[in-house]
Amino acid sequence: MNASSRIFDDIRLGLVFFTRLPLPHFEVKDRSLADAIWTAPLVGLVVAVIAWLAYAVAALLGLAPSLAAALALASGMLVTGALHEDGLSDTSDGFGGGRTRERKLEIMRDSRIGTYGACALALSILARWSAIADLASPGHVLVGLVVAHIASRALIPAFMQMLPQARIDGLSAGVGTLSDNVVLTALAIGAVALLLLGLKGAVVAALCLVLLFVAFRKLCLAQIGGQSGDTIGALQQLAEIALLFAASAILA
């Protein structure tokens, strides 16, 4: 298999795993999700463009930025099946409601949403909606969405590599071991996306992401001894919020 075929297969695997897009059936023999997880930020680009198209159409129809922002958020969640939002709510319920590591993981596995999860989900939606509406201009919204969706997902491989598995089964555990190349490629894509905020803005945003990453890593280790699929989703949501706030401060 040549390099271009591997890249194409990796992108298709990433889209299948991270989105609900109706893609045609295909078979990949020599690539795994561990190989393809570097495409997470590229999937973020797809999600960002779809969300922006919803915003742009709403703006063309004369809708207020607040309504257009709501449609952009809804489009993004529809494309991903609210995958990362689900992780945020489950993580919040587990970390907030469990007293022991085992109980926290048990709560996180439960499909029912609790008070902590509902509050976290509501705050996430409110924060992102406010930032997108504040950007207002379709051009600024495009930059904000692209930066936020790409760079937030660029952290996923590094987070998976740097933390042990919190449980022996589950979505994250099934991915397998990630190579350094996979992690570095994803981070490089995220770094390029940050440059859309300008050099100074990129440095500020990168520092925010580093602080968030370190703090959340420490929290996950203290709460459940590692990472799971839910905590990966929570990290993505927190990073997306931080980046949208940064874009709003820099561009609006």
Side-chain angles (χ1 to χ4, degrees), residues 101-204:
R101 174 182 179 276
E102 291 71 24
R103 180 55 181 155
K104 292 175 190 294
L105 289 171
E106 181 183 351
I107 292 173
M108 291 166 68
R109 192 187 291 275
D110 193 334
S111 60
R112 293 171 295 182
I113 187 170
T115 302
Y116 289 106
C119 290
L121 191 56
L123 289 172
S124 171
I125 293 173
L126 178 61
R128 290 179 290 156
W129 170 80
S130 300
I132 296 170
D134 187 55
L135 286 167
S137 161
H140 288 167
V141 170
L142 176 60
V143 172
L145 288 173
V146 167
V147 169
H149 281 283
I150 290 179
S152 64
R153 287 167 173 81
L155 301 177
I156 290 175
F159 192 71
M160 295 175 70
Q161 187 190 62
M162 292 180 64
L163 277 81
Q165 297 289 341
R167 52 165 59 104
I168 60 174
D169 59 350
L171 197 60
S172 177
V175 173
T177 303
L178 305 186
S179 69
D180 291 341
N181 285 340
V182 166
V183 172
L184 292 174
T185 300
L187 290 175
I189 296 172
V192 171
L194 291 180
L195 291 174
L196 292 174
L197 298 175
L199 183 58
K200 183 178 179 180
V203 171
V204 171

Side-chain angles (χ1 to χ4, degrees), residues 11 13 45 62 74 82 91 99 118-119 122 148 151-152 166 175 191 198 203 211 214 220 234:
I11 292 173
L13 279 171
L45 174 60
T91 299
R99 291 185 178 274
C119 290
S152 64
V175 173
V203 171
L211 292 174
V214 171
C220 289

